[in-house]
Amino acid sequence: MTPVNAKPKIYIPRPNFPEVIGRLESHFEVVHNQADQALTAEQFRLLASQADGLLTTGSDVINESLLKACPQLKICANMAVGYNNFDLLSMTRAGVLATNTPDVLTQTTADFGFALLMACARRLVESEHFLRDQQWKQWRYDLMAGQDVHGSTLGIIGMGRIGQAVAKRASMGFDMKVIYHNRSVLPADVEKACGASWVELDALLAQSDHVMLVLPYSPECHHMIGARQLSLMKPGAHLINIARGGLIDEEALVDALERGHLGGFALDVFEGEPQINPRLLTQKRVVLTPHIASSTIQTRLKMSNLAADNLIEFFSRRQALTPLNPEVLEK
Ligand code: GLV
């Protein structure tokens, strides 16, 4: 039991900005793991079981079994916009508030999605390896020839804040035709501002030169891009994933590339990350990055501060800036 007037105990399982930890320390008793080594599930459970609040990242799983081991836990502030690491229903049932970090990472993540699209279509990484390996001997008319980005068709799957920011870059900056698929069609004025129009998923796959995944993961959309969907894509098209690894069947993806059907793909997220399917690592026409789409110093600091603000607001005024299950606050 927390003694009366004791400061709430916050546990931070992964290294974080010292200035944010310092800010939290002026409100809370803070325990943090600054070692650059992820804890085992058992170590995490033990430390979480003594905490009133957690500052989690997308790899910290909060499910029913963990909640049972954490009777004094009241809030998990995720330093990520995605929250598929949270079992939200169980958290709500247990009266544990969940928060995430929307908005602050939208533009940075969209920048990176575009960087992956450019790198993939223009064979940037493959070219760089070719040069470093001292294979560049002379000019050739088709040396590392890729596909145009400007003027081509981009298909965006998932048209939330980040999808819309990608669409604006594509339509305004690169004169691309932008089509999108989303559960709901956006209001006409938003579509107009993005220069994008809604199509069925199969039509998007068939018409796009480049397809980008920007939708949240849920078990219902597990492997939504599998062999059938990949076969619908245009020959030579590119697939970019900045959402969650579980959306794509990676075996089917590599098969499609090896068959010569796809032009390439770029992934920032992987099923089972940080473990990577070894077949991905041997492919040439791919760009693989370690889940860093939101990773600029400015944006990661904003995400960290927003997660900290949620903890501070909750314990000082029983409020939160970006709650995911606000019904908990009403109890
Ligand atoms: C990153 O993947 C996030 O969800 O913020």
Side-chain angles (χ1 to χ4, degrees):
M1 254 211 343
T2 315
V4 186
N5 295 331
K7 283 183 175 177
K9 196 167 187 177
I10 301 299
Y11 178 55
I12 309 177
R14 299 287 300 137
N16 213 305
F17 291 94
E19 59 263 52
V20 178
I21 293 177
R23 209 155 71 77
L24 288 169
E25 277 171 342
S26 63
H27 296 265
F28 306 117
E29 181 187 337
V30 179
V31 178
H32 56 98
N33 168 32
Q34 285 296 46
D36 196 17
Q37 188 169 14
L39 302 174
T40 64
E42 225 12 77
Q43 287 168 324
F44 177 63
R45 177 183 292 258
L46 185 66
L47 287 154
S49 70
Q50 294 153 31
D52 298 295
L54 299 175
L55 195 162
T56 52
T57 63
S59 44
D60 301 318
V61 176
I62 309 296
N63 56 21
E64 197 171 358
S65 127
L66 181 102
L67 291 166
K68 282 206 174 109
C70 303
Q72 67 189 61
L73 189 63
K74 296 168 196 71
I75 171 171
C76 296
N78 220 27
M79 187 176 151
V81 67
Y83 51 89
N84 53 302
N85 56 314
F86 286 172
D87 172 349
L88 211 52
L89 268 182
S90 298
M91 291 176 78
T92 305
R93 231 180 279 128
V96 174
L97 184 70
T99 65
N100 67 339
T101 56
D103 299 318
V104 290
L105 48 59
T106 300
Q107 300 303 332
T108 299
T109 305
D111 282 351
F112 196 77
F114 225 86
L116 285 184
L117 164 58
M118 299 283 288
C120 185
R122 298 304 307 273
R123 303 174 62 182
L124 194 79
V125 172
E126 191 186 351
S127 297
E128 217 246 3
H129 287 166
F130 173 84
L131 182 147
R132 280 183 196 271
D133 291 347
Q134 301 187 359
Q135 292 183 54
W136 184 29
K137 305 289 182 223
Q138 63 228 322
W139 187 91
R140 235 194 94 86
Y141 74 98
D142 62 350
L143 182 63
M144 291 290 156
Q147 294 291 329
D148 275 337
V149 173
H150 74 273
S152 63
T153 299
L154 173 63
I156 301 177
I157 305 177
M159 200 61 159
R161 290 167 284 234
I162 299 171
Q164 291 173 32
V166 171
K168 285 180 184 158
R169 284 157 175 74
S171 61
M172 292 173 199
F174 285 78
D175 202 17
M176 295 172 89
K177 175 176 175 189
V178 181
I179 52 182
Y180 73 95
H181 183 77
N182 197 47
R183 263 179 316 190
S184 50
V185 180
L186 297 179
D189 58 328
V190 180
E191 280 197 343
K192 192 162 174 237
C194 293
S197 44
W198 187 93
V199 292
E200 293 285 358
L201 181 57
D202 284 2
L204 179 146
L205 294 166
Q207 292 169 23
S208 302
D209 299 302
H210 319 281
V211 173
M212 194 180 299
L213 298 182
V214 201
L215 73 163
Y217 175 86
S218 66
E220 298 76 61
C221 42
H222 184 72
H223 286 189
M224 68 178 289
I225 302 295
R228 189 190 79 81
Q229 290 75 15
L230 290 161
S231 71
L232 292 177
M233 287 177 68
K234 276 189 182 176
H238 301 102
L239 183 68
I240 296 102
N241 189 5
I242 54 169
R244 285 294 181 267
L247 296 168
I248 299 181
D249 177 346
E250 290 172 353
E251 288 292 325
L253 180 66
V254 177
D255 288 345
L257 187 74
E258 286 182 346
R259 268 203 325 277
H261 181 65
L262 288 185
F265 56 81
L267 308 177
D268 184 47
V269 285
F270 305 85
E271 198 169 6
E273 62 186 54
Q275 265 74 53
I276 307 294
N277 179 335
R279 283 185 76 202
L280 291 172
L281 299 173
T282 59
Q283 306 301 322
K284 276 217 162 106
R285 295 233 180 166
V286 306
V287 182
L288 308 172
T289 51
H291 202 148
I292 53 164
S294 67
S295 190
T296 62
I297 293 293
Q298 298 89 332
T299 291
R300 284 283 166 90
L301 186 57
K302 284 183 196 156
M303 291 165 69
S304 180
N305 271 314
L306 178 52
D309 287 339
N310 274 314
L311 291 165
I312 294 166
E313 278 291 300
F314 176 75
F315 284 106
S316 58
R317 303 197 290 144
R318 209 173 158 74
Q319 289 184 9
L321 299 169
T322 50
L324 292 164
N325 52 354
E327 57 272 35
V328 167
L329 295 170
E330 283 145 28
K331 281 193 190 145

PDB file of all heavy atoms in Angstrom, residues 79-83 101 105 242-244 269 291 294 303, ligand 1:
ATOM      1  N   MET A  79       4.409   6.373 -24.870  1.00  0.00           N
ATOM      2  CA  MET A  79       5.161   7.353 -25.663  1.00  0.00           C
ATOM      3  C   MET A  79       5.121   6.890 -27.124  1.00  0.00           C
ATOM      4  O   MET A  79       6.119   6.508 -27.711  1.00  0.00           O
ATOM      5  CB  MET A  79       6.595   7.443 -25.142  1.00  0.00           C
ATOM      6  CG  MET A  79       7.400   8.545 -25.795  1.00  0.00           C
ATOM      7  SD  MET A  79       9.041   8.659 -25.058  1.00  0.00           S
ATOM      8  CE  MET A  79       9.980   9.284 -26.461  1.00  0.00           C
ATOM      9  N   ALA A  80       3.932   6.887 -27.699  1.00  0.00           N
ATOM     10  CA  ALA A  80       3.691   6.450 -29.075  1.00  0.00           C
ATOM     11  C   ALA A  80       2.263   6.842 -29.402  1.00  0.00           C
ATOM     12  O   ALA A  80       1.430   6.952 -28.489  1.00  0.00           O
ATOM     13  CB  ALA A  80       3.840   4.929 -29.207  1.00  0.00           C
ATOM     14  N   VAL A  81       1.984   7.026 -30.693  1.00  0.00           N
ATOM     15  CA  VAL A  81       0.582   7.294 -31.054  1.00  0.00           C
ATOM     16  C   VAL A  81      -0.181   5.974 -31.147  1.00  0.00           C
ATOM     17  O   VAL A  81      -1.326   5.877 -30.746  1.00  0.00           O
ATOM     18  CB  VAL A  81       0.480   8.139 -32.348  1.00  0.00           C
ATOM     19  CG1 VAL A  81       0.967   7.386 -33.576  1.00  0.00           C
ATOM     20  CG2 VAL A  81      -0.945   8.615 -32.566  1.00  0.00           C
ATOM     21  N   GLY A  82       0.497   4.923 -31.655  1.00  0.00           N
ATOM     22  CA  GLY A  82      -0.128   3.604 -31.739  1.00  0.00           C
ATOM     23  C   GLY A  82      -0.183   2.998 -30.345  1.00  0.00           C
ATOM     24  O   GLY A  82       0.675   3.271 -29.504  1.00  0.00           O
ATOM     25  N   TYR A  83      -1.217   2.199 -30.105  1.00  0.00           N
ATOM     26  CA  TYR A  83      -1.331   1.626 -28.751  1.00  0.00           C
ATOM     27  C   TYR A  83      -1.800   0.177 -28.816  1.00  0.00           C
ATOM     28  O   TYR A  83      -2.545  -0.289 -27.960  1.00  0.00           O
ATOM     29  CB  TYR A  83      -2.248   2.502 -27.875  1.00  0.00           C
ATOM     30  CG  TYR A  83      -3.584   2.839 -28.484  1.00  0.00           C
ATOM     31  CD1 TYR A  83      -4.679   2.016 -28.301  1.00  0.00           C
ATOM     32  CD2 TYR A  83      -3.736   3.974 -29.262  1.00  0.00           C
ATOM     33  CE1 TYR A  83      -5.894   2.308 -28.870  1.00  0.00           C
ATOM     34  CE2 TYR A  83      -4.951   4.289 -29.847  1.00  0.00           C
ATOM     35  CZ  TYR A  83      -6.029   3.444 -29.643  1.00  0.00           C
ATOM     36  OH  TYR A  83      -7.236   3.739 -30.221  1.00  0.00           O
ATOM     37  N   THR A 101       0.373   9.541 -27.645  1.00  0.00           N
ATOM     38  CA  THR A 101       0.966  10.839 -28.019  1.00  0.00           C
ATOM     39  C   THR A 101       0.617  11.205 -29.479  1.00  0.00           C
ATOM     40  O   THR A 101       1.484  11.201 -30.351  1.00  0.00           O
ATOM     41  CB  THR A 101       2.498  10.830 -27.846  1.00  0.00           C
ATOM     42  OG1 THR A 101       3.040   9.745 -28.616  1.00  0.00           O
ATOM     43  CG2 THR A 101       2.905  10.676 -26.409  1.00  0.00           C
ATOM     44  N   LEU A 105       3.668  13.962 -33.447  1.00  0.00           N
ATOM     45  CA  LEU A 105       4.581  13.244 -34.349  1.00  0.00           C
ATOM     46  C   LEU A 105       4.083  13.182 -35.794  1.00  0.00           C
ATOM     47  O   LEU A 105       4.731  12.594 -36.658  1.00  0.00           O
ATOM     48  CB  LEU A 105       4.844  11.815 -33.821  1.00  0.00           C
ATOM     49  CG  LEU A 105       3.662  10.956 -33.381  1.00  0.00           C
ATOM     50  CD1 LEU A 105       2.646  10.717 -34.444  1.00  0.00           C
ATOM     51  CD2 LEU A 105       4.163   9.648 -32.805  1.00  0.00           C
ATOM     52  N   ILE A 242       4.825   2.235 -42.695  1.00  0.00           N
ATOM     53  CA  ILE A 242       5.258   2.997 -41.513  1.00  0.00           C
ATOM     54  C   ILE A 242       4.242   2.815 -40.384  1.00  0.00           C
ATOM     55  O   ILE A 242       4.195   3.617 -39.455  1.00  0.00           O
ATOM     56  CB  ILE A 242       5.456   4.505 -41.813  1.00  0.00           C
ATOM     57  CG1 ILE A 242       4.199   5.114 -42.436  1.00  0.00           C
ATOM     58  CG2 ILE A 242       6.672   4.738 -42.680  1.00  0.00           C
ATOM     59  CD1 ILE A 242       4.231   6.645 -42.506  1.00  0.00           C
ATOM     60  N   ALA A 243       3.413   1.758 -40.480  1.00  0.00           N
ATOM     61  CA  ALA A 243       2.337   1.585 -39.488  1.00  0.00           C
ATOM     62  C   ALA A 243       2.716   0.521 -38.453  1.00  0.00           C
ATOM     63  O   ALA A 243       3.342   0.854 -37.437  1.00  0.00           O
ATOM     64  CB  ALA A 243       1.044   1.243 -40.215  1.00  0.00           C
ATOM     65  N   ARG A 244       2.392  -0.737 -38.711  1.00  0.00           N
ATOM     66  CA  ARG A 244       2.775  -1.836 -37.832  1.00  0.00           C
ATOM     67  C   ARG A 244       3.082  -3.057 -38.688  1.00  0.00           C
ATOM     68  O   ARG A 244       2.420  -3.303 -39.704  1.00  0.00           O
ATOM     69  CB  ARG A 244       1.643  -2.183 -36.852  1.00  0.00           C
ATOM     70  CG  ARG A 244       1.456  -1.186 -35.710  1.00  0.00           C
ATOM     71  CD  ARG A 244       2.639  -1.150 -34.734  1.00  0.00           C
ATOM     72  NE  ARG A 244       2.434  -0.214 -33.631  1.00  0.00           N
ATOM     73  CZ  ARG A 244       2.830   1.057 -33.613  1.00  0.00           C
ATOM     74  NH1 ARG A 244       3.459   1.574 -34.658  1.00  0.00           N
ATOM     75  NH2 ARG A 244       2.611   1.823 -32.553  1.00  0.00           N
ATOM     76  N   VAL A 269       8.692  -1.032 -39.929  1.00  0.00           N
ATOM     77  CA  VAL A 269       8.077  -1.820 -38.853  1.00  0.00           C
ATOM     78  C   VAL A 269       8.000  -3.274 -39.294  1.00  0.00           C
ATOM     79  O   VAL A 269       7.863  -3.557 -40.488  1.00  0.00           O
ATOM     80  CB  VAL A 269       6.657  -1.278 -38.541  1.00  0.00           C
ATOM     81  CG1 VAL A 269       6.714   0.025 -37.770  1.00  0.00           C
ATOM     82  CG2 VAL A 269       5.857  -1.097 -39.821  1.00  0.00           C
ATOM     83  N   HIS A 291      12.191   1.066 -36.989  1.00  0.00           N
ATOM     84  CA  HIS A 291      11.028   1.724 -36.368  1.00  0.00           C
ATOM     85  C   HIS A 291      11.386   3.141 -35.866  1.00  0.00           C
ATOM     86  O   HIS A 291      11.280   3.435 -34.669  1.00  0.00           O
ATOM     87  CB  HIS A 291      10.480   0.859 -35.215  1.00  0.00           C
ATOM     88  CG  HIS A 291       9.042   1.156 -34.884  1.00  0.00           C
ATOM     89  ND1 HIS A 291       8.165   0.223 -34.422  1.00  0.00           N
ATOM     90  CD2 HIS A 291       8.333   2.315 -34.953  1.00  0.00           C
ATOM     91  CE1 HIS A 291       6.979   0.778 -34.206  1.00  0.00           C
ATOM     92  NE2 HIS A 291       7.064   2.066 -34.532  1.00  0.00           N
ATOM     93  N   SER A 294       9.167   8.360 -36.274  1.00  0.00           N
ATOM     94  CA  SER A 294       8.938   9.592 -35.479  1.00  0.00           C
ATOM     95  C   SER A 294      10.228  10.097 -34.837  1.00  0.00           C
ATOM     96  O   SER A 294      10.196  11.031 -34.034  1.00  0.00           O
ATOM     97  CB  SER A 294       7.903   9.311 -34.381  1.00  0.00           C
ATOM     98  OG  SER A 294       8.439   8.403 -33.427  1.00  0.00           O
ATOM     99  N   MET A 303       7.080  13.996 -27.697  1.00  0.00           N
ATOM    100  CA  MET A 303       6.322  12.795 -27.306  1.00  0.00           C
ATOM    101  C   MET A 303       6.558  12.463 -25.833  1.00  0.00           C
ATOM    102  O   MET A 303       5.641  12.136 -25.084  1.00  0.00           O
ATOM    103  CB  MET A 303       6.758  11.601 -28.181  1.00  0.00           C
ATOM    104  CG  MET A 303       6.335  11.730 -29.631  1.00  0.00           C
ATOM    105  SD  MET A 303       7.227  10.565 -30.697  1.00  0.00           S
ATOM    106  CE  MET A 303       6.562   8.998 -30.167  1.00  0.00           C
TER     107      MET A 303
HETATM  108  C1  GLV B   1       5.179   4.690 -33.463  1.00  0.00           C
HETATM  109  O1  GLV B   1       5.114   3.701 -34.118  1.00  0.00           O
HETATM  110  C2  GLV B   1       4.054   5.231 -32.766  1.00  0.00           C
HETATM  111  O2  GLV B   1       3.005   4.587 -32.705  1.00  0.00           O
HETATM  112  O3  GLV B   1       4.191   6.342 -32.223  1.00  0.00           O
END
